Amino acid sequence: MEIDGVNDVHILDPELLQLPGLSPLSVKTNPHIAEELFSQWLSLPETGRLVKSLIDDTKSSTPVSVSKNCANLNISCGSALPSVFLNSGTPPLSPRSSSGSPRFSRQKTSPSSLQSPLRSVREPKRQLIPQFYFQHGRPPAKELKEQCISMVDHYFSNYIDGLRMDEFKSITKEVCKLPSFLSSVLFRKIDTKCTGIVTRDAFIKYWVDGHMLAMDVTTQIYNILRQTGCKYLRQADFKPVLDELLASHPGLEFLRNTPEFQERYAETVIYRIFYYINRSGTGCITLRELKRGNLIAAMQQVDEEDDINKVIRYFSYEHFYVIYCRFWELDGDHDFFIDKENLIKYGNHALTYRIVDRIFTQVPRKFTSKVEGKMGYEDFAYFILAEEDKSSESSLEYWFKCVDLDGDGVITPNEMQFFYEEQLHRMECITQEPVLFEDILCQIFDMIKPEKENCITLQDLKASKLSGNIFNILFNLNKFMAFETRDPFLIRQERENPTLTEWDRFAQREYVRLSMEEDVEEVSNGSADVWDEPLESPF
């Protein structure tokens, strides 16, 4: 009979052997002594009977009493059993068992004999991970929910039957912390059955139970404006908001008797919103785009500011006035459409024919006019915003598509030369000293510093602060000459107001010009109101 584990006997502690007349040091230095003793014990007949008895008991599922068997063995063996086993209690079981094997005799903690000793390592302890995803948004904190319900109870205490639309504005502003001109849209969102009344329970169900309370302001406004089941915002979704703003804002009160201009103002604001926010150009604003923009901050500023012109982002009436009047000046027959011959007059004939032709190919943006060869008011709004502020990413994308003739995603020297040839010809016609294209090309690459040699990508343009000047060099002669002369007065203005964009400065200058022309026209028409007032400089 072969016994496994004999090779591990040398790790037995000599202190436990207690051999008479044999020191532990001798056993430790001579481990073969223990091996010989163990082999001698295994060769005894009594040991064979003991092992056979234990095997039979195991097969018959009889409880095994090792201490009893060992005691009988000790009695029957007498002095035949070595003294080391007489003094050490029960003999070791098979080395296959972790409880008796010397391999595990020194472990501080021993796993159960019914499972693998590696089980505790393979199966780490289960940890309770707190919920981090909520399909309808994270539920509000208990304190916030109680505070909101308390405020709702206060506002609805005098309106047991519910609030009407004109009474709901205080709830929108004080409880929901939203701009007041969103009141009517929020009211209709809750009053789905068009009863004309919003009750306390209906408001709690939508705002608190509908998880709106725990959302950020941008997500709240996004969910209020979008149509049910729609995952984006369209232009029509902003129309009710602008209608209420025109009806309630003190800075727009003077427009109430001119519904036509009210409509044009609302359209212009929406066009500006989509020009800057809808970066994908799909005509549909996603929640991601809305969060990346500054529209929500502008809406909150409008609600707090009585002077609408101080909100230069999107809502300024002066900015609308500039865009609309510029369009009206070019639209000679006033059919509300502009063709190539009209657009070439823009900015005192600042643009080249080649870039105007490129715009009317609708490569940078598809026209919404639906009239062949003509752009509408929305198309012109996108054009003027791109033309007058070439520092914005929306403008860079617009003009990059124009100059990239083959649409391969890079602007090559040949493409730049195509547009610059007309600029060079125009400089010769006005007896301006021409600048050779080779010199211009070196200047452009020095300004942009593209990653790849002899080509410019859109990312190269967005990484440079001088990108707008590149397009002026190629197709806007007036701005190209202004860039070459570097007016110190304009440079000082930029340093004094670094937060203003190129569009803001243009709109400011242009509004002054248009207002002066209107004053002169009124004077020439013999307006009594104008003659009675002293003429003052607008500066």
Side-chain angles (χ1 to χ4, degrees), residues 379-392:
D379 308 316
F380 177 79
Y382 272 75
F383 159 77
I384 191 174
L385 291 172
E387 167 58 25
E388 300 302 339
D389 186 5
K390 295 187 176 73
S391 62
S392 68

Side-chain angles (χ1 to χ4, degrees), residues 78-96:
S79 59
L81 189 65
S83 59
V84 60
F85 299 108
L86 294 175
N87 298 328
S88 62
T90 59
L93 296 177
S94 170
R96 298 177 184 273

Side-chain angles (χ1 to χ4, degrees), residues 336-353:
F336 230 66
F337 293 108
I338 289 178
D339 57 18
K340 291 182 182 180
E341 295 302 322
N342 298 138
L343 190 62
I344 202 66
K345 301 175 184 177
Y346 180 85
N348 194 20
H349 296 79
L351 301 175
T352 63
Y353 281 94

